[in-house]
Amino acid sequence: MPISETVLDLFARQVSARGASTALWSPPYRRSFGELDAQAQELADHLVGLGIRPDDRVAILLPRGPEQVVAMLAVLKAGGAYVPLDPAHPVERIDFLLRDSGARLLVTDQRLTGRPTHPVERLHIDLPLPARPAAAPPQRPAVAPDSLAYVIYTSGSTGTPKGVAVTHRCVVRLVRGLDEVAVGPDDTLLMLAPTAFDASTFEVWSALCNGARLAIHPPGPVGPRELGAELRRTGVTVLWLTAQLANLVADLHPQALEPLRTLVVGGEVLSVPHLRLLLAANPQLRIVNGYGPTETTTFATTHPVAPADLDEAGGVPIGRPIGDTRCHVVDPEGRPVPAGVLGELLVGGAGVARGYLGRPGLTAERFVPDPFGPPGGRLYRTGDLVRRRADGVIEFASRIDDQVKLRGFRIEPGEIRAVLTQHPAVRDAFVTVSGSGLATELVAYVVPVAPGGPAGGVDAAQLRTHLGERLPEPLVPGRFVLLDRLPLTSNGKVDRRALPDPAAPTASGRR
Ligand code: AMP
């Protein structure tokens, strides 16, 4: 059935049904659905008064907290689309995202005022809203399922991040279609993922659109012990963790998950030994593998982990498409492959984003016409190599391209290479990953303009500073290896096998 509602419709239904129930919960802070609605509406009216119109982007630069949620809801109510920015990112990155997204306004607080330098109107959420002239009745904009809801940025292989433009329909399909992770008024979810990641779409909107409470983890890093205390304190029942964080919890404090009913894990391949540890410590726990690119709105497929998955050498499948989602496994010519044969996963349905903001070429490359469905449909080419089992369950094999996941962060090594080669002392560079599990790290192989020479010479510390000023911390390699030249294969590509071992003490700069 086509989706005819918006995120605001679903939220409004919860406000009518349970206005006095808790919506936001960060003890002692508490806001009911009714209070949250009123607070966000006041801000939304103000945003409309400032000229925010449908599809306008409004950037939000705030630490994790209730104000973030109020701001997100207010932007939607004003008809705009939020662009979540991470205060931990370098100023240069934040400035780029403000520019690239064409943000009309930046919602922030006074503590962060000095951060971005890009000239954009600011609204400080920690100051009282300026009074509106009484004569100006707030207009309520028309918001439709096709209206833009948010823009979330992911790493771009050509050197700059790309903004994924997601509509209300995409989000409604996520919060309604997750049969394996049913969320209802008896549940409490935890806001833990940075809002600049689309896992926050699941956390925030699955809770608020389904009448559940949204507990909010305090800002700052998340450790397994604090997480355990937080889950108990707020009574969280449904939690999302990246595979990396789930592994850490499993290693250090698996009992932390005791209050939970459902744990959704994903973002990268799940580790079977860690899942075993979590289940041994929490026999009541239901674990669901959640798979999906930002471009198909958080989750495309889910798989409830069964005991048999933990015995299989093949790992935990990514499962079956969630509601209003279709998956096709195709060969390089776009023809469906039979069950058991590897192919690229294409995802269609209501979760497919509009595309990349302001990048029609890239959008056309990755979002292709759907030859299998009704006319007008589009499929997102995930770049993931998968196989479909005879029973329809999909198994993840690997990436087709160089994209990697590190500590939950989606990374295109080409983006790091592009920033490295902007350094005047760098002639060429190549970035890859080495190691496995928690020891996986990025390695940059760098060819200086003048190897070792005082004029053009460059060392790891300088390169680390150069990258740290421009890229989020997870994109800064742990090791730098200086080379006279990059080894090439006979067809001119970098010969990965001929690259020196980054652990060799001679040329390597360790973090
Ligand atoms: P992101 O857009 O940051 O969510 O990253 C999406 C990519 O992460 C996918 O295309 C996959 O390569 C990988 N990924 C996400 N979830 C999973 C999962 N559950 N299992 C394996 N890979 C995953």
Side-chain angles (χ1 to χ4, degrees), residues 321-388:
I322 71 166
D324 280 312
T325 302
R326 286 180 300 280
C327 289
H328 304 277
V329 186
V330 302
D331 67 14
E333 275 73 51
R335 293 173 304 217
V337 297
V341 175
L342 284 176
E344 183 177 10
L345 176 60
L346 310 187
V347 177
V352 178
R354 257 195 209 173
Y356 299 115
L357 192 71
R359 308 273 178 93
L362 192 58
T363 301
E365 209 178 284
R366 304 300 300 203
F367 295 82
V368 295
D370 179 359
F372 310 112
R378 290 172 317 136
L379 298 173
Y380 173 67
R381 294 174 49 203
T382 64
D384 288 323
L385 209 53
V386 303
R387 70 167 77 73
R388 200 194 289 269

Side-chain angles (χ1 to χ4, degrees), residues 154 197-198 240 265-270 289-295 298 316 318 380 382-384 396 398-399 403 405 408-410:
T154 70
F197 285 110
D198 83 337
W240 153 263
V265 198
E268 55 192 296
V269 175
L270 308 196
N289 186 1
Y291 158 89
T294 307
E295 289 85 340
T298 315
V316 181
I318 56 172
Y380 173 67
T382 64
D384 288 323
F396 179 91
S398 65
R399 285 292 302 174
Q403 183 181 297
K405 273 294 179 85
F409 215 92
R410 173 168 156 184

Side-chain angles (χ1 to χ4, degrees), residues 13 70 126 165 256 310 323 389 468:
R13 196 171 305 146
V70 172
D126 51 338
L310 304 180
R389 294 194 322 211

Side-chain angles (χ1 to χ4, degrees), residues 444-459:
Y445 293 91
V446 177
V447 181
V449 170
V458 65
D459 62 24

